[in-house]
Amino acid sequence: MRAGRPERGDGAGARPERGGGGRDGGAGGGGGDSHLRGAGGHRLPRVSRDHPQPRRAAAARRRAAAAAMPPPHPRGGGASPPGPARPGAMEGIGRAAPAEDTVRYRFFAAAAAGSGGEALLRRCAEAIVVRFAPLLASYIWQRQPFRLRYLPPRGDTPAHIGGTTAFGDNVEDEWFIVYLVQEITRAFPGLAGRVDDNDGEFLLIEAADFLPKWLNPENSDNRVFFYKGELHIIPLSDTDEQECDLSVASPTISQALTLLSTHSEEFLAAEPIRTAVYKRISGYPEKIQASFHRAHCYLPAGIAAVLRQRPSLVAAAVQAFYLRDPVDLRACRSFQTFPPDKRVMTVVTFTKCLYAQLMQQKFVPDRRSGYTLPLPSHPQYKAYELGMKLAHGFEILCSKCSKVSPDSKRAVLSGPLWERFLRSLKEKKYFKGEMEGSAKYLDLLHMAEDYFQQSVTKPESSVEVSPGDEILTLLQATTIDLKEFEREEACLPPEDDDSWLEITPGDLDKLLKEARSESLLSSNEEEQKYDLEAVAESMKAFVSKVSTHEGAEMPWSSDESHVTFDVDSFTKALDRILGVDSEELDSDDLDEEEEFDFSDEDDEGLDAESERQDQEVSPNELIGSLKSYMNEMDRELAHTSVGKSFTMQKKGASSAKAAMSQSVGPDSGTEDTELTPVDVDMNLVANLLESYSAQSGLAGPTSNILQSMGVHLPENADHIGSNNRATE
């Protein structure tokens, strides 16, 4: 389910070593300590991976699904290009894995497109970009945007359109892309979409609790598709399923597409699987605005002017500061591009992930930079601190610019593709009725230009533009009006509340329960609907199970069929236990033979006698003798205090048995009437509850075992009351 990053020292700026790990577990890229502090200094898991929920909470379920899905790869992250994927489950079964923290999405023509397939796919790519431009133009990506490119056929993979997006520490980018894939296949029913990342089929990981048993990492490739807006899973063939051959090879994409286009209704994923995946992407597109956080920042006027035209550049600046190293900070000693003498107060829009990354960094600027901070008690201290950190990020970006000509960057905005794109935006009322040339219209136009340059233009027709190049180009083309900024500063809208950064242990427990899709019942409701018999029945069902090399199966339902008793199998097991079948003696038996100096003649006599007895004893007699042996043990233990440690059955329940024991024979004394049977269920439940109470609300063996079997005990009301009284 990653090791946390070390705290970065004030002003040190050293990039910490990037930790490995899988999904939702720990350090997944980026520098600095990306943990947040809860109430009382409680260290909480990273919020950036599954924001606003802790990243570790979102993925606990995914880690537990490792047995069902490919094992995770270590996560990277940050502003640097993603490195090559390390060998893992995906390469192990013959497929290339995406890079770390990167999601791959591909769209195939569900039916054979023939010779005009390339032209058809290219037209689909343009139509998709235009159709979803109003949704994507204002989105702030953590590292890379959603891009679609035509990809020619290669090997068993047919021609398709698709791309990869590095989402870094913000897993919401990945799930937003899943939502886009679903909506694209709904809007373009001739396309079938696939999405995966370096963890493999992460959609199946999300629904791991509901997957069929035949689905495993070795045969899951090329089986999961979005088609016509619904999730589909290509099953095993009838022959493979009848033969229970789970090691069968996965189908090729062409084979899967043929099956999908002809039998899509049969391959619709089971409702629990679809519900688990759809729940994860529910709330879009409204969820986009909820992921933003607006904060006041005291910035150089040049940065404020750049962000007004390109709000998405805030992500690159935050990543540059977040992943800074001593070489990067050399440019921040003099601040050639953004000196601190002309600063203004403005509102900057972050994603919650970016804001959390920037806020948790402890950093003291170099004295030579000219950036100073007021006392922490100052009412605008946070705005000064955020502005200082953003200024360092922008300065680092500009220090790495490649000096590309602005003309080559602007050439892509003068072709026919841009004209069609702009005309389509106007038809879809992207500009919301704003007058052409107005400030709001220009802001929307700048966002559309930014999106077009990043996501629409073909690689062969444009020059790769770094964020630093873009910033310098915008500075050259922008006139900075300090008086206008001062007028806006007087009427700034209030910034958003950032109390979501603080998570108490109770809030964390609530998030974990929601991640497990558990209903949050009050303690009274739990106690009213709780049945202690379920504890005993679940434990009995678990003990009755037969474990294999894959482990023990936990019984999740009390409705399972009861275990049948096979007399023949039981007697054969007793024969093996009691040594009826003659077997060779081990070394311990030989040592004992030497110690007691048994002669061979005695051994032969004993063997012959035992053999005659075995031939004469029937299975029923053997069971009867075993019961007699157990009764004799009970009579011996009746004179000790061992029985006092157990809860006995009530007298009424055992009176019939006592009467029967008295009528056995004259050898049965009065002591037999006192042999009250032990109440096994009551002792089991009492011991489990006592062990659970000793955990004091913490994790322990009892709660772990019972939760594995689907049994969740309520809180101990006595302990809760005593703790509340102690607090008062």
Side-chain angles (χ1 to χ4, degrees):
M1 287 195 178
R2 302 173 197 246
R5 304 189 192 93
E7 292 276 358
R8 209 198 290 269
D10 293 349
R15 186 196 307 270
E17 195 170 312
R18 305 196 27 149
R23 186 180 296 270
D24 311 310
D33 181 5
S34 60
H35 290 71
L36 300 180
R37 298 279 182 178
H42 180 66
R43 182 179 292 274
L44 298 176
R46 288 172 28 163
V47 299
S48 56
R49 174 72 174 145
D50 198 14
H51 203 78
Q53 297 182 3
R55 183 174 181 176
R56 194 183 306 271
R61 207 162 60 252
R62 289 185 160 186
R63 281 289 174 272
M69 284 289 94
H73 294 286
R75 289 289 187 186
S80 57
R86 289 170 49 181
M90 297 183 69
E91 289 107 339
I93 56 179
R95 46 184 167 151
E100 296 177 354
D101 286 335
T102 301
V103 58
R104 176 175 59 183
Y105 37 91
R106 294 176 287 176
F107 298 93
F108 303 90
S115 58
E118 179 178 352
L120 175 63
L121 289 174
R122 289 188 182 276
R123 288 197 300 271
C124 285
E126 293 182 8
I128 289 170
V129 168
V130 172
R131 183 183 185 94
F132 291 91
L135 193 63
L136 295 171
S138 60
Y139 193 85
I140 299 177
W141 299 93
Q142 180 79 8
R143 285 181 55 188
Q144 292 178 351
F146 178 82
R147 297 191 186 102
L148 287 179
R149 300 287 186 269
Y150 171 78
L151 298 170
R154 182 178 180 182
D156 293 335
T157 304
H160 60 281
I161 54 176
T164 59
T165 294
F167 54 84
D169 289 333
N170 191 5
V171 75
E172 286 302 325
D173 284 1
E174 182 179 32
W175 287 107
F176 178 52
I177 287 176
V178 174
Y179 166 77
L180 289 176
V181 172
Q182 181 190 35
E183 293 303 311
I184 288 171
T185 58
R186 194 191 309 276
F188 298 85
L191 296 178
R194 269 186 53 74
V195 58
D196 60 354
D197 66 4
N198 63 287
D199 278 347
E201 302 287 352
F202 67 94
L203 297 182
L204 298 184
I205 298 176
E206 189 70 15
D209 291 337
F210 313 103
L211 297 182
K213 290 189 176 182
W214 62 263
L215 194 58
N216 57 49
E218 286 72 25
N219 61 24
S220 63
D221 195 21
N222 301 333
R223 293 189 184 274
V224 184
F225 289 86
F226 274 105
Y227 184 56
K228 297 182 179 179
E230 296 290 347
L231 186 66
H232 292 72
I233 298 178
I234 307 296
L236 294 176
S237 64
D238 294 338
T239 304
D240 296 329
E241 193 168 0
Q242 291 175 0
E243 297 177 356
C244 298
D245 185 7
L246 304 185
S247 61
V248 64
S250 300
T252 64
I253 292 182
S254 298
Q255 293 172 341
L257 292 174
T258 301
L259 293 171
L260 195 64
S261 60
T262 55
H263 303 88
S264 61
E265 296 83 2
E266 302 176 14
F267 302 151
L268 190 66
E271 184 176 354
I273 298 176
R274 286 181 288 139
T275 300
V277 174
Y278 296 168
K279 180 180 179 182
R280 194 62 181 79
I281 59 177
S282 63
Y284 286 108
E286 295 80 9
K287 198 174 179 180
I288 297 174
Q289 292 299 322
S291 68
F292 291 157
H293 182 89
R294 295 160 184 83
H296 292 172
C297 296
Y298 193 55
L299 288 168
I303 296 178
V306 167
L307 288 177
R308 176 176 292 180
Q309 299 184 62
R310 296 286 188 273
S312 60
L313 286 173
V314 68
V318 171
Q319 292 301 303
F321 175 77
Y322 190 62
L323 297 171
R324 67 196 181 277
D325 57 28
V327 177
D328 293 333
L329 290 178
R330 291 177 184 173
C332 300
R333 295 173 182 173
S334 57
F335 273 91
Q336 298 293 330
T337 308
F338 300 107
D341 52 348
K342 296 180 180 179
R343 286 185 285 178
V344 296
M345 188 70 70
T346 186
V347 174
V348 177
T349 300
F350 303 88
T351 63
K352 288 184 176 179
C353 177
L354 293 171
Y355 181 79
Q357 288 180 324
L358 207 60
M359 279 296 297
Q360 59 85 38
Q361 291 274 307
K362 294 181 179 179
F363 178 76
V364 176
D366 193 300
R367 294 181 179 179
R368 291 168 289 185
S369 67
Y371 280 87
T372 58
L373 296 176
L375 295 175
S377 59
H378 193 280
Q380 293 181 326
Y381 174 81
K382 186 172 66 175
Y384 275 77
E385 185 184 29
L386 286 173
M388 176 269 297
K389 293 175 181 178
L390 270 183
H392 279 73
F394 274 92
E395 189 71 26
I396 291 171
L397 290 175
C398 292
S399 67
K400 297 179 179 181
C401 65
S402 58
K403 311 297 183 186
V404 178
S405 170
D407 295 336
S408 62
K409 305 169 193 174
R410 287 294 176 180
V412 296
L413 298 178
S414 58
L417 183 59
W418 163 252
E419 296 297 333
R420 292 201 306 270
F421 178 74
L422 186 60
R423 185 167 57 253
S424 176
L425 290 181
K426 293 179 180 179
E427 292 173 357
K428 295 183 178 298
K429 302 187 183 302
Y430 167 75
F431 294 100
K432 303 175 183 178
E434 296 291 336
M435 184 178 297
E436 188 168 350
S438 65
K440 183 63 175 177
Y441 180 92
L442 292 177
D443 289 343
L444 294 172
L445 179 63
H446 291 322
M447 286 193 295
E449 291 174 351
D450 187 26
Y451 168 70
F452 183 83
Q453 286 182 287
Q454 292 185 17
S455 306
V456 182
T457 54
K458 302 174 184 178
E460 63 267 19
S461 65
S462 61
V463 179
E464 186 68 23
V465 180
S466 70
D469 298 329
E470 182 72 10
I471 292 169
L472 292 178
T473 301
L474 291 172
L475 285 176
Q476 294 175 6
T478 303
T479 301
I480 301 174
D481 189 351
L482 288 176
K483 293 184 178 180
E484 181 182 354
F485 281 115
E486 291 175 357
R487 289 193 299 269
E488 293 179 355
E489 182 178 341
C491 56
L492 286 179
E495 58 183 352
D496 295 339
D497 181 20
D498 62 359
S499 59
W500 50 265
L501 286 172
E502 300 291 335
I503 304 178
T504 63
D507 294 335
L508 182 58
D509 291 339
K510 182 179 178 181
L511 293 175
L512 290 173
K513 288 183 179 180
E514 291 176 351
R516 293 195 302 265
S517 302
E518 293 179 353
S519 58
L520 301 178
L521 301 175
S522 65
S523 59
N524 292 335
E525 291 174 331
E526 287 182 346
E527 292 174 3
Q528 289 173 5
K529 69 176 293 185
Y530 195 78
D531 185 7
L532 286 177
E533 292 181 1
V535 178
E537 293 299 327
S538 298
M539 186 61 70
K540 287 179 181 178
F542 171 68
V543 174
S544 301
K545 291 288 183 179
V546 178
S547 61
T548 66
H549 66 282
E550 295 181 351
E553 268 195 43
M554 295 293 184
W556 284 89
S557 174
S558 59
D559 298 333
E560 295 181 357
S561 59
H562 297 287
V563 179
T564 58
F565 180 73
D566 188 347
V567 178
D568 294 335
S569 300
F570 180 70
T571 54
K572 290 179 182 178
L574 283 179
D575 290 342
R576 291 193 298 270
I577 295 173
L578 299 177
V580 175
D581 298 330
S582 58
E583 297 179 355
E584 295 184 1
L585 296 175
D586 58 15
S587 59
D588 294 338
D589 295 330
L590 294 176
D591 293 340
E592 292 178 1
E593 181 180 347
E594 294 176 358
E595 180 180 353
F596 292 100
D597 195 18
F598 286 154
S599 63
D600 295 339
E601 292 79 4
D602 294 339
D603 291 341
E604 293 175 359
L606 291 173
D607 292 341
E609 183 180 355
S610 63
E611 185 175 354
R612 288 193 300 270
Q613 292 178 356
D614 293 340
Q615 293 175 354
E616 297 173 358
V617 176
S618 65
N620 292 333
E621 292 175 351
L622 185 61
I623 295 176
S625 63
L626 183 62
K627 289 182 178 179
S628 301
Y629 177 71
M630 299 301 295
N631 291 334
E632 184 64 28
M633 289 182 60
D634 288 341
R635 282 192 292 271
E636 291 182 8
L637 293 175
H639 299 287
T640 67
S641 60
V642 175
K644 297 179 180 180
S645 61
F646 297 95
T647 301
M648 303 298 180
Q649 291 183 0
K650 294 181 179 181
K651 292 292 184 180
S654 60
S655 58
K657 296 182 180 179
M660 292 178 61
S661 64
Q662 287 181 353
S663 62
V664 171
D667 294 337
S668 301
T670 57
E671 61 184 23
D672 290 339
T673 60
E674 300 176 0
L675 295 179
T676 306
V678 173
D679 193 334
V680 178
D681 289 352
M682 179 61 70
N683 283 279
L684 172 63
V685 173
N687 291 334
L688 287 175
L689 291 178
E690 184 178 358
S691 176
Y692 179 74
S693 178
Q695 295 177 193
S696 301
L698 303 176
T702 302
S703 59
N704 291 340
I705 292 175
L706 293 179
Q707 287 180 10
S708 299
M709 296 186 293
V711 178
H712 300 275
L713 293 175
E715 295 288 342
N716 190 334
D718 296 336
H719 283 188
I720 295 175
S722 61
N723 291 338
N724 291 339
R725 288 192 295 272
T727 304
E728 293 175 358

